[in-house]
Amino acid sequence: MTTLRLDGPVDLAQHIPADPSGLFLHRGDGLLARGEALVLTATGEDRFTDLSQAFQQVSAAATVDDAAGVRGSGLLALGSFSYYAASERPSRLVIPRAVLGQADGCAFLTLVTADGEDPARGLGAADGRDPSALLAELFPTADAEASAADAPAPPVPHIEVASAHTPAEYQALISRAVDEIRAGGAEKLVISERLDARSSDPVSIPALARRLAAMYPMTWVFRVGDVIGASPEMLVETEGSRLFSRVLAGTRPVADGGELTAEDRDAFFHDPKERAEHEYAIRSVTGPLEAVTEWISAPAEPFVLRLPGLEHLASDVSAKLRPGLTSVDVAGLLHPSAAVSGTPRVDADRINRTIEEQDRGGYAAPVGWMSGRGDGQWAIALRMAHLDPEDPHYLVLQAGGGIVEASDPLTEHAEALAKTRPMMRALRG
């Protein structure tokens, strides 16, 4: 495989292919992928370890010519894991045929050729080719007319939405979760709602991803396999020994995509219920990290992360990772955090699945990428939808919230619905 350094920075959002095999974008940097050179899959309790080891074996055998030498260049795989170990949906790592990436203003193009394969076959060959010509061939820019500021806006598609539960039914599930907590089954649970959405127009992956990136620039926009979304929460990011995790727990929805008033934000920040929920989430990350890091730094108090229509209590955790672990290894160690599961983890997941009565698939599970060096970024698949490969008009949105003893069913229902709003806004354009 070969990585070529491009002459200058690129606008990744304008180069998203019609059907990317993967994408991961954050504030102008990230990765776009085309094709599949190799797909690795795994199921069960050991899915993280199995995929980490399988990819390391591929990496050890690969011949890598990396002229960029930045984050994400060289051999890499994009991946999406399933939430539950017992899920029938396989977890997967995809080594793309071609990658357009950018890190800190340095753009690069990676091309992968399998053993024994004609270099001219597939998505292109790098030998003797001008990098700009390869970029134009493999990742052409979006139609200039369609993206022009003065172009007429396309008609808004009609979206039919059907919730898995009526309001009364979903609020009854929350009451049931509160009863479980009061009975001592768990200290915190996380219950989610599912919405089936059908669009009058086929869903355009590039348009949807561009809208999410433009509307929610502080998030990590992703598409891998059947999941697409814009996550505000980074489970783990590693680069060498440096480790970063952004923990979110505690949410206040705001009407019409607005922000809380200063008074309401102060009340939210000091709300005992929200602070307790956040503390559970922080401990669920820092606790497991103690065994694999030399030091951990976590703030004494969270900050309020402001997103359009939603505000969260957030904490940025940093640590020094011990040698020998990949980003996928750490993601498996941390998944699921209390932010998406509850506490204690095993009891919470058992109760959550009993109440939800459905497999979460890729919802609330790690999604991201890992390099041949083991570095990577794994966000939690939130503010997301599952795509249907057989029906481009159909998506399944899923969102939920943390439940503690003081939770109010009506408020929790409103929060779950508010968390589907980013995807609905992007779908409607």
Side-chain angles (χ1 to χ4, degrees):
M1 60 130 293
T2 301
T3 295
L4 306 172
R5 185 167 185 148
L6 300 176
D7 289 338
V10 298
D11 183 351
L12 290 177
Q14 294 304 315
H15 288 271
I16 300 173
D19 188 21
S21 54
L23 65 84
F24 199 81
L25 305 174
H26 180 64
R27 304 186 76 172
D29 283 354
L31 305 162
L32 304 176
R34 284 192 62 193
E36 297 177 347
L38 182 64
V39 179
L40 305 170
T41 62
T43 58
E45 292 285 353
D46 297 327
R47 61 200 185 282
F48 291 92
T49 301
D50 289 346
L51 286 179
S52 175
Q53 292 178 351
F55 181 64
Q56 288 179 81
Q57 291 173 1
V58 173
S59 178
T63 300
V64 179
D65 180 10
D66 182 3
V70 296
R71 185 177 66 250
S73 65
L75 185 68
L76 66 79
L78 290 104
S80 169
F81 286 83
S82 292
Y83 183 92
Y84 288 116
S87 176
E88 295 182 359
R89 173 190 183 269
S91 300
R92 65 194 327 245
L93 290 179
V94 177
I95 299 174
R97 285 281 186 176
V99 174
L100 173 61
Q102 185 161 266
D104 300 324
C106 174
F108 58 88
L109 187 64
T110 298
L111 300 177
V112 176
T113 304
D115 285 344
E117 188 175 73
D118 180 354
R121 182 188 169 208
L123 294 180
D127 294 344
R129 300 282 305 275
D130 175 54
S132 298
L134 280 169
L135 172 63
E137 175 186 336
L138 300 177
F139 295 92
T141 56
D143 180 25
E145 182 179 351
S147 61
D150 57 353
V156 176
H158 176 68
I159 311 290
E160 294 182 0
V161 180
S163 298
H165 304 91
T166 67
E169 289 170 343
Y170 185 74
Q171 290 165 38
L173 297 184
I174 302 302
S175 295
R176 182 176 163 192
V178 171
D179 289 343
E180 290 277 3
I181 292 170
R182 288 174 176 164
E187 295 177 84
K188 176 191 172 183
L189 299 170
V190 178
I191 306 300
S192 65
E193 175 64 309
R194 167 181 166 149
L195 285 77
D196 294 345
R198 178 166 291 279
S199 172
S200 58
D201 300 334
V203 175
S204 166
I205 300 301
L208 186 56
R210 278 194 292 269
R211 291 170 193 154
L212 289 169
M215 294 175 179
Y216 307 98
M218 294 295 290
T219 67
W220 288 268
V221 175
F222 59 86
R223 187 274 167 104
V224 180
D226 63 343
V227 295
I228 186 168
S231 177
E233 189 159 2
M234 176 58 63
L235 181 65
V236 62
E237 172 184 291
T238 67
E239 189 168 7
S241 63
R242 183 189 66 82
L243 183 149
F244 168 81
S245 178
R246 172 162 289 176
V247 181
L248 269 60
T251 302
R252 283 288 166 88
V254 190
D256 301 322
E259 292 188 353
L260 294 171
T261 65
E263 182 179 1
D264 287 343
R265 185 173 295 117
D266 184 69
F268 168 49
F269 182 82
H270 291 96
D271 188 315
K273 179 258 183 189
E274 305 290 355
R275 293 295 290 266
E277 185 181 334
H278 191 79
E279 184 59 30
Y280 289 136
I282 286 288
R283 292 206 304 263
S284 74
V285 170
T286 58
L289 285 180
E290 289 179 356
V292 296
T293 57
E294 295 184 12
W295 53 260
I296 303 171
S297 175
E301 289 195 328
F303 65 94
V304 177
L305 178 65
R306 306 180 194 180
L307 300 173
L310 290 164
E311 301 200 8
H312 304 276
L313 295 184
S315 292
D316 288 347
V317 176
S318 58
K320 184 177 181 180
L321 185 65
R322 292 176 182 167
L325 292 167
T326 71
S327 58
V328 167
D329 293 330
V330 182
L333 180 68
L334 297 182
H335 173 75
S337 75
V340 295
S341 169
T343 189
R345 176 191 290 183
V346 173
D347 294 334
D349 267 346
R350 174 182 54 79
I351 297 170
N352 290 337
R353 190 161 192 181
T354 299
I355 292 176
E356 291 181 352
E357 296 184 331
Q358 63 183 5
D359 183 1
R360 289 185 172 184
Y363 165 68
V367 59
W369 63 273
M370 181 169 74
S371 75
R373 297 179 290 275
D375 297 332
Q377 295 176 305
W378 295 94
I380 301 177
L382 303 172
R383 314 296 186 270
M384 58 80 69
H386 282 99
L387 301 164
D388 186 336
E390 304 298 326
D391 187 349
H393 295 262
Y394 179 68
L395 303 92
V396 178
L397 284 64
Q398 194 160 349
I403 311 301
V404 294
E405 186 173 352
S407 292
D408 170 65
L410 182 61
T411 301
E412 298 297 341
H413 188 204
E415 178 181 324
L417 294 178
K419 289 176 178 176
T420 66
R421 197 180 299 149
M423 184 60 68
M424 290 300 300
R425 288 183 66 199
L427 280 171
R428 295 182 187 278

